[in-house]
Amino acid sequence: MLIVAPSGWARFYVFSKDRGADWGSVWYMFEHFNVPVLGNPQLSALNKLSAVFFAVACAAIAVLALAATRRPRLPQLCFLVLAAFLMTNKVWSPQYVVWLVPLAVLARPRLWPYLLWQLAEVAYFFGIWGYLIFIYSAGGYQVTGYQGISSGWYFATLAARFLTVGLLAAYVVRDIIDPERDVVRALGTDDLAGGVLDHAEDRFRLRFQPWRPGAQHRPGRC
């Protein structure tokens, strides 16, 4: 199907390429506040910035995975890549949270950072609709009752969601660096959701740990 119907699966990428910074994206906030360089509204520049930041994030995740004292679990790496995609993308559509939820649960099955992120998601849900009402009213249309929220409050909810996803990603990174903090492996398991990677031997590993100068490989870690 990939070969005979390229227009179907490529639609998402073509459509995304032609879109500017949109609701929910940190780039939309940069443009609104005219942040130098990052707030450049030119589509070609925005595409390059978004792609570069995502590529750098993926490279950092690869280095983290290859240099870790113990091979990261597959859900941890999938979560980090998807979180990086959402945080660097030009658009943060409502359905993206559905993509991230199962990986977040598998990557770090702990309550508080996840709950904080979900509260930020709920706040953003009400924030974006309140902001749309505010824009509608400011455009000269009559709005009765609730008048929505101003741009300042909207961007506060946007930043809160961005930061809480980043916080959850930081906790996942910490669990990878120090696998003894990983609640899944604390139970004596390896990578239950990893398929053939569960208990697999490492094929290649970078022999340095920039976060632990002089750290040695622990016996019994793969």
Side-chain angles (χ1 to χ4, degrees):
M1 292 300 295
L2 290 176
I3 297 176
V4 299
S7 60
W9 60 262
R11 173 60 180 167
F12 173 80
Y13 301 99
V14 174
F15 180 60
S16 297
K17 180 181 178 182
D18 295 335
R19 297 179 72 177
D22 209 341
W23 311 112
S25 168
V26 70
W27 304 104
Y28 180 75
M29 182 171 66
F30 292 154
E31 286 188 12
H32 179 84
F33 291 107
N34 296 314
V35 177
V37 181
L38 298 178
N40 189 341
Q42 187 177 3
L43 185 58
S44 59
L46 179 59
N47 285 336
K48 290 178 182 178
L49 283 170
S50 177
V52 167
F53 273 89
F54 180 56
V56 170
C58 288
I61 294 169
V63 171
L64 172 67
L66 294 174
T69 56
R70 184 173 183 180
R71 171 176 41 78
R73 293 185 292 109
L74 180 62
Q76 291 176 318
L77 297 179
C78 290
F79 171 82
L80 290 178
V81 172
L82 183 55
F85 171 75
L86 300 188
M87 296 173 73
T88 60
N89 197 25
K90 299 182 297 179
V91 181
W92 197 318
S93 298
Q95 69 270 21
Y96 288 2
V97 64
V98 180
W99 300 357
L100 202 57
V101 163
L103 290 176
V105 173
L106 291 172
R108 197 171 195 275
R110 289 186 178 274
L111 178 61
W112 292 112
Y114 176 84
L115 180 60
L116 188 63
W117 166 46
Q118 288 299 299
L119 289 174
E121 287 286 354
V122 172
Y124 180 80
F125 175 82
F126 287 102
I128 179 61
W129 290 111
Y131 184 49
L132 291 176
I133 294 174
F134 174 79
I135 293 177
Y136 190 76
S137 176
Y141 297 95
Q142 184 178 1
V143 176
T144 58
Y146 179 60
Q147 299 297 307
I149 62 173
S150 64
S151 58
W153 284 108
Y154 166 69
F155 287 114
T157 63
L158 187 156
R161 178 174 66 172
F162 184 89
L163 292 175
T164 51
V165 172
L167 177 65
L168 187 54
Y171 272 109
V172 173
V173 170
R174 189 187 70 168
D175 290 346
I176 292 175
I177 293 175
D178 187 2
E180 291 183 355
R181 294 179 179 269
D182 184 359
V183 65
V184 175
R185 283 180 165 163
L187 299 175
T189 58
D190 181 48
D191 191 358
L192 296 177
V196 296
L197 298 176
D198 188 28
H199 293 290
E201 295 184 1
D202 289 342
R203 300 285 180 166
F204 174 78
R205 182 167 160 265
L206 296 177
R207 298 296 176 178
F208 77 98
Q209 298 170 346
W211 50 85
R212 288 185 182 177
Q216 298 295 322
H217 182 60
R218 296 181 183 179
R221 302 293 187 187
C222 61

